[in-house]
Amino acid sequence: MAVCSAPGKIILFGEHAVVFGKPALALAIDLRVRASVSVSDQFAVNGHPMRPKHHSYISAALDEAWNGPPVRISTKSSIPSGSGLGSSAAVTVSSVGAMLAEKGTFDLATLAKKSFEVEFKVQKGASPTDTSTSVHGHGVLVSPEQGDGFLWRISKGERVWNMHHCEIPDMTFVVGYTGVRAATGPLVDGVRILLDTNKDRRRDVDRIGDIVLEGVDAVRRADKPTLGRLMLENHGLLNDLGVGHPALDKLVDACEESAYGAKLTGAGGGGSMIALTDHPEKTSGAISRAGGEPIVVSVGCAGVRVES
Ligand code: PMV
């Protein structure tokens, strides 16, 4: 039997713009998924016979990383699903990781590539940001060019993503889940249509690319006031790109007094926002009062681990 665990993530800067060739910065969080894989007499997931439609990530993971006898797979998650915290990526990375460990072929770059293929197959067009962050942990800068701290490169068709290590200082974020579910695909398509027809919005995407690079510098200096300012600016630009939601604005505004800054994280259209704060209790209270569900997270945590 092999056991692997892998963390969730938040996107600090660059969501959506990363789809159009700009950089993005994602941070691993201290919520994890644990997966075990052991050879058995039939394919089973969490004690039930595997059904590919129902267990889409695990079933795609088996296609991608396992060509052996039937296995029993169990997963245990502390990441709320559908909240934009990368739970599907962490399920994928921990399961594929456990399969590779069970076969004796575990290695990080292979795991990152295979996990991306699994998410791509199930979500039909994801970027490798979530899966690579879950594999590497810490912070991951996704960039079209290769630079310092290079980890691995992932490509799909003509698209290329270079993954880089980014050291993350101690920081606390409060995630605020709006309770509004929104699918990533249509939001990405909406941005694509807007960019095809509107030059101002293309300038917004360019500015988000610059914010990511300024943000990486501010992270390195642990300069929280600058990070807060950049988060608010990034949030406004994402609103201009049409991926905001009134519930997100309400939560972002509610954090004004107790946090350095706040923004939506991930695909938007609902989902979650994040606030950078030294006062997590105050910020959590403000998010609750504004109708959100707060979750306090630490960032820069370890990536995938083979536990046994
Ligand atoms: O839904 P999430 O949290 O994985 O974020 C999606 C981020 C996008 O940039 C909108 C899409 C992507 O695949 O990068």
Side-chain angles (χ1 to χ4, degrees):
M1 176 163 97
V3 181
C4 241
S5 75
K9 66 90 196 43
I10 55 174
I11 298 181
L12 182 53
F13 298 115
E15 51 275 269
H16 285 288
V18 70
V19 176
F20 303 96
K22 300 295 172 191
L25 177 61
L27 314 179
I29 58 174
D30 58 345
L31 299 173
R32 301 180 77 83
V33 173
R34 203 180 153 87
S36 68
V37 169
S38 50
V39 171
S40 175
D41 50 3
Q42 63 163 335
F43 284 101
V45 180
N46 293 328
H48 301 284
M50 189 179 73
R51 286 187 286 137
K53 274 217 173 113
H54 187 67
H55 304 115
S56 50
Y57 289 94
I58 305 270
S59 159
L62 285 164
D63 289 345
E64 188 63 36
W66 186 256
N67 44 10
V71 279
R72 191 164 8 114
I73 297 161
S74 299
T75 59
K76 204 170 170 223
S77 175
S78 62
I79 308 173
S81 76
S83 58
L85 297 181
S87 77
S88 63
V91 165
T92 303
V93 168
S94 56
S95 306
V96 172
M99 288 171 203
L100 296 182
E102 182 69 12
K103 289 199 304 190
T105 57
F106 182 92
D107 114 89
L108 294 178
T110 307
L111 174 56
K113 285 172 191 163
K114 288 192 178 299
S115 299
F116 167 57
E117 290 298 333
V118 170
E119 276 229 314
F120 192 88
K121 188 172 163 194
V122 179
Q123 294 181 3
K124 310 208 168 33
S127 82
T129 309
D130 290 17
T131 38
S132 277
T133 305
S134 187
V135 170
H136 177 66
H138 311 279
V140 170
L141 173 66
V142 186
S143 160
E145 293 97 30
Q146 183 175 329
D148 291 347
F150 175 72
L151 296 167
W152 50 73
R153 172 175 301 133
I154 294 185
S155 53
K156 191 91 202 164
E158 284 173 6
R159 297 170 66 190
V160 174
W161 298 270
N162 292 287
M163 303 298 171
H164 303 83
H165 167 77
C166 191
E167 197 58 43
I168 304 301
D170 251 358
M171 290 191 285
T172 303
F173 288 84
V174 182
V175 178
Y177 177 48
T178 59
V180 179
R181 280 182 176 263
T184 302
L187 288 158
V188 171
D189 290 344
V191 174
R192 191 187 310 278
I193 290 165
L194 202 57
L195 295 182
D196 279 348
T197 54
N198 191 322
K199 234 200 286 153
D200 290 341
R201 301 291 82 87
R202 289 203 288 273
R203 270 198 289 271
D204 289 343
V205 166
D206 289 342
R207 175 61 195 142
I208 292 175
D210 293 341
I211 287 176
V212 176
L213 300 180
E214 289 171 32
V216 168
D217 272 349
V219 164
R220 291 199 174 120
R221 299 191 307 270
D223 179 349
K224 295 183 198 174
T226 299
L227 286 171
R229 186 177 52 72
L230 292 170
M231 287 169 75
L232 288 167
E233 187 185 350
N234 196 163
H235 182 73
L237 292 165
L238 287 164
N239 267 336
D240 292 347
L241 291 177
V243 298
H245 189 281
L248 285 166
D249 287 339
K250 197 168 170 202
L251 300 189
V252 167
D253 291 347
C255 297
E256 195 181 340
E257 259 182 39
S258 64
Y260 291 100
K263 66 180 270 293
L264 74 83
T265 186
S272 295
M273 49 71 74
I274 50 171
L276 173 60
T277 182
D278 290 334
H279 309 285
E281 279 173 25
K282 262 193 193 163
T283 303
S284 296
I287 287 174
S288 290
R289 282 191 296 280
E293 218 178 280
I295 309 165
V296 178
V297 296
S298 301
V299 292
C301 306
V304 68
R305 264 196 314 251
V306 179
E307 306 281 358
S308 66

